[in-house]
Amino acid sequence: MRILKEDQVTNESLLHFLKEAGHEVRYIEEEKSILFHTDEGVRGIFRVPDTQTRTKMITLTVRFVLKESESNLAFVNQLNDTMFLGKFCMESNNRLCITYEITYTGGLILRQFSRILRHFCWIVDHVLRDYGDHLVDKEKPVLIEAAAATEVIH
């Protein structure tokens, strides 16, 4: 079992491990983040906070643009009631944000991180397959955002 100590958890170490484990990932230099892909081709992002950050959390994030609908909030609440290992929230501009936070306080078990990432990707794909035709506006790009910058990916 490979465990990274807290101070060894970096974007570079996770990128290297995830590539070894067969994940489709790449580093985005301008955002200091790792881009990952689900089996359905949806793109998500995460990054390891800098060393000055007190909170040792990695947040997996995927955002979709939803169709204009008064039922969007009810849809997001339904997802929170039925889907596990993901938080679903409605953001401004009809965006659905799906997140999952992983702490690495005290270290990170790499195999567990890989499994969590795969399961998170499965949840995202499940939402897209089961609900996407009705609510997710596939004509607009998926939005990937880090704290400092926004990248629009088609």
Side-chain angles (χ1 to χ4, degrees):
M1 176 170 21
R2 290 176 52 194
I3 301 174
L4 290 180
K5 294 178 183 175
E6 190 175 298
D7 63 344
Q8 296 173 318
V9 178
T10 64
N11 283 325
E12 293 77 19
S13 64
L14 291 180
L15 183 67
H16 178 73
F17 167 74
L18 291 172
K19 284 183 177 182
E20 277 183 354
H23 290 272
E24 188 178 340
V25 292
R26 71 178 169 92
Y27 187 69
I28 303 173
E29 179 65 39
E30 59 272 9
E31 295 196 24
K32 310 255 185 281
S33 300
I34 296 175
L35 181 75
F36 62 88
H37 298 264
T38 70
D39 289 342
E40 297 289 326
V42 176
R43 295 172 180 162
I45 200 163
F46 72 87
R47 77 166 133 199
V48 176
D50 63 32
T51 55
Q52 282 81 31
T53 304
R54 291 182 53 203
T55 306
K56 304 298 182 192
M57 291 285 217
I58 299 168
T59 303
L60 307 175
T61 305
V62 171
R63 288 182 170 88
F64 292 104
V65 177
L66 299 177
K67 292 179 182 177
E68 293 285 334
S69 173
E70 290 186 19
S71 64
N72 282 347
L73 188 56
F75 167 63
V76 171
N77 287 332
Q78 175 190 358
L79 290 173
N80 277 315
D81 290 342
T82 58
M83 301 295 291
F84 300 105
L85 195 75
K87 282 192 296 189
F88 300 84
C89 67
M90 184 79 177
E91 296 180 330
S92 62
N93 301 325
N94 282 319
R95 292 190 303 184
L96 169 64
C97 180
I98 308 170
T99 61
Y100 183 72
E101 294 177 325
I102 305 158
T103 183
Y104 61 95
T105 300
L108 184 66
I109 300 170
L110 291 174
R111 186 171 179 197
Q112 181 182 22
F113 181 73
S114 176
R115 284 184 174 184
I116 289 170
L117 180 58
R118 287 188 199 284
H119 191 74
F120 180 78
C121 289
W122 179 87
I123 289 168
V124 170
D125 287 345
H126 176 76
V127 168
L128 188 62
R129 275 192 307 271
D130 290 0
Y131 303 103
D133 291 337
H134 302 287
L135 291 170
V136 177
D137 189 348
K138 294 181 181 180
E139 299 302 314
K140 293 183 181 176
V142 174
L143 297 175
I144 305 297
E145 292 184 16
T150 302
E151 177 183 357
V152 178
I153 300 176
H154 299 278

